[in-house]
């Protein structure tokens, strides 16, 4: 991706590891100053240090996305250092497999609070700190938002809400020059998410066989999409849920003889 983010401030929530950390690195490589945020002070400082080692400017802030006042303080700190936020990625999430009958009300609420309320909080608290016009907001959602999945009632409900938060904010904040989109990754290799959901090698192969493109995606595939979505090339794109999913959304391709 050749987009130039020199001097831009990119803020990524849920970025101490995995897909979101790779997104932060992608923007840093393109010249951005990066703020990364997550709960663990040690993990987020290590993530920010890893970005600084590449020569980019970066800070790490420890904050739980369920803590609205904490987020307000985080934006004040980040914009005090790097100026208003040009690109905001909201990707903090929690998931685990559990049958509904084994899921406590608090377990369901915990995932909804991190994924859905957390995304609302990250976006809502950012408003006074965004570059207006021009800011690009991206929620990281998942196929579970539109495809019911056994043992993931909590994540399905939460991510369905994330899609609606994305579309409603696109509607409300577009007139202020703010674009709001989401990226829906498919199964992405070498991530905590697929460690929790993918299972053993046989199950992994089964998942790959169902995908039209027959393989897991990479963290870089998702980062590239985020760079494009926030670039001038996508200036007329808002309210979109962009699947970066190897065809997961179009259905089960395991019976496709050409595959
Ligand atoms: N199965 C069933 N219930 C579970 C569970 C599991 N595997 N893991 C946690 N819970 C329940 C807990 O028992 C608790 O419910 P209870 O109070 O009724 O006992 C509730 O969920 C909250 O757990 P807690 O550990 O206090 O939550 P937390 O806020 O510290 O952590 C999680 C949130 C549970 C989502 C944790 O897995 C996490 O931090 N995940 C982040 C990383 C991740 O999931 N990455 C993949 C992203 S796709
Ligand atoms: P990951 O590495 O576990 O990333 C989750 C991040 O969120 C971590 O940095 C974690 O850091 C942070 N986090 C969790 N709870 C938080 C909270 N309450 N407040 C602030 N930060 C919090 O997982 P991943 O697999 O890369 O997933 C990243 C995103 O992609 C998620 O939104 C996920 O739903 C989505 N996704 C993943 C896949 C996949 O194949 N992996 C597929 C579709 C969608 P701390 O522990 O330090 O807080």
């Amino acid at each position: 991706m050749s987009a130039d983010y020199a001097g831009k401030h990119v803020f990524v929530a849920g970025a101490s590891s995995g897909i979101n950390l790779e997104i932060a690195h992608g923007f840093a490589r393109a010249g951005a100053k990066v703020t990364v945020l997550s709960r663990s002070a040690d993990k987020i400082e290590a993530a920010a240090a890893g970005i600084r080692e590449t020569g980019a400017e970066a800070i790490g802030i420890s904050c739980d996305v369920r803590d609205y006042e904490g987020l307000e303080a985080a934006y004040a700190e980040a914009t005090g250092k790097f100026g208003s936020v040009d690109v905001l990625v909201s990707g903090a999430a929690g998931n685990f497999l559990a049958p509904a009958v084994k899921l406590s009300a608090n377990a369901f609420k915990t995932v909804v609070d991190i994924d859905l309320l957390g995304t609302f909080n990250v976006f809502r608290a950012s408003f006074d700190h965004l570059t207006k016009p021009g800011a690009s907001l991206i929620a990281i959602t998942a196929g579970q938002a539109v495809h019911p999945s056994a043992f993931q009632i909590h994540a399905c409900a939460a991510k369905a809400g994330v899609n609606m938060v994305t579309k409603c904010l696109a509607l409300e904040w577009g007139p202020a020059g703010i674009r709001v989109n989401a990226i829906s990754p498919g199964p992405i290799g070498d991530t905590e998410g697929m460690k929790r959901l993918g299972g053993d090698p046989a199950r992994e192969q089964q998942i790959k066989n169902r995908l039209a493109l027959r393989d897991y995606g990479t963290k870089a595939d998702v980062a590239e999409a985020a760079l494009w979505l926030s670039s001038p090339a996508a200036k007329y794109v808002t309210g979109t849920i962009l699947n970066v999913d190897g065809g997961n959304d179009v259905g089960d391709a395991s019976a496709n003889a050409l595959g």
Side-chain angles (χ1 to χ4, degrees):
M1 177 78 199
S2 57
D4 182 7
Y5 287 92
K8 301 287 187 192
H9 180 187
V10 176
F11 189 115
V12 188
S16 64
S17 58
I19 292 170
N20 305 319
L21 177 57
E22 183 57 33
I23 290 173
H25 272 282
F27 279 106
R29 277 193 296 272
K33 299 171 283 188
V34 177
T35 301
V36 287
L37 175 146
S38 82
R39 290 168 303 182
S40 158
D42 289 348
K43 280 166 64 181
I44 204 62
E45 187 39 52
I51 296 171
R52 286 193 296 269
E53 275 168 21
T54 69
E57 287 187 77
I59 56 169
I61 299 178
S62 163
C63 176
D64 193 311
V65 296
R66 293 167 284 190
D67 172 7
Y68 190 85
E69 286 178 5
L71 285 169
E72 289 181 311
Y75 284 120
E77 180 185 341
T79 56
K81 181 136 180 81
F82 292 150
S84 64
V85 175
D86 299 292
V87 178
L88 172 58
V89 180
S90 174
N95 199 4
F96 47 80
L97 293 174
V101 291
K102 295 267 172 68
L103 199 67
S104 70
N106 188 49
F108 183 89
K109 179 178 183 299
T110 297
V111 172
V112 169
D113 281 355
I114 298 172
D115 294 25
L116 175 54
L117 181 62
T119 296
F120 173 79
N121 287 345
V122 166
F123 285 170
R124 172 66 187 90
S126 76
F127 187 78
D128 290 340
H129 303 280
L130 297 174
T131 302
K132 296 190 277 293
S136 163
L137 274 50
I138 299 174
I140 305 299
T141 183
Q144 288 93 326
V146 289
H147 298 289
S149 307
F151 312 140
Q152 293 187 67
I153 191 170
H154 43 331
C156 289
K159 292 293 195 183
V162 168
N163 285 15
M164 269 300 164
V165 164
T166 301
K167 293 181 186 197
C168 291
L169 277 190
L171 207 56
E172 288 196 31
W173 290 4
I178 300 166
R179 296 186 300 111
V180 190
N181 294 289
I183 296 174
S184 182
I188 302 298
D190 189 26
T191 60
E192 182 62 27
M194 286 318 291
K195 209 178 293 169
R196 291 177 180 224
L197 309 179
D200 58 28
R203 170 76 183 134
E204 188 175 310
Q205 196 52 53
Q206 209 179 21
I207 296 171
K208 289 178 180 175
N209 288 346
R210 291 168 60 93
L211 290 167
L213 295 186
R214 293 287 195 270
D215 203 357
Y216 282 1
T218 66
K219 290 176 271 192
D221 290 330
V222 184
E224 287 293 331
L227 265 79
W228 175 77
L229 257 185
S230 302
S231 75
K235 68 179 175 46
Y236 203 52
V237 180
T238 197
T240 289
I241 312 295
L242 178 61
N243 295 316
V244 182
D245 69 350
N248 186 50
D249 187 61
V250 288
D252 180 353
S254 56
N256 178 355
L258 293 177

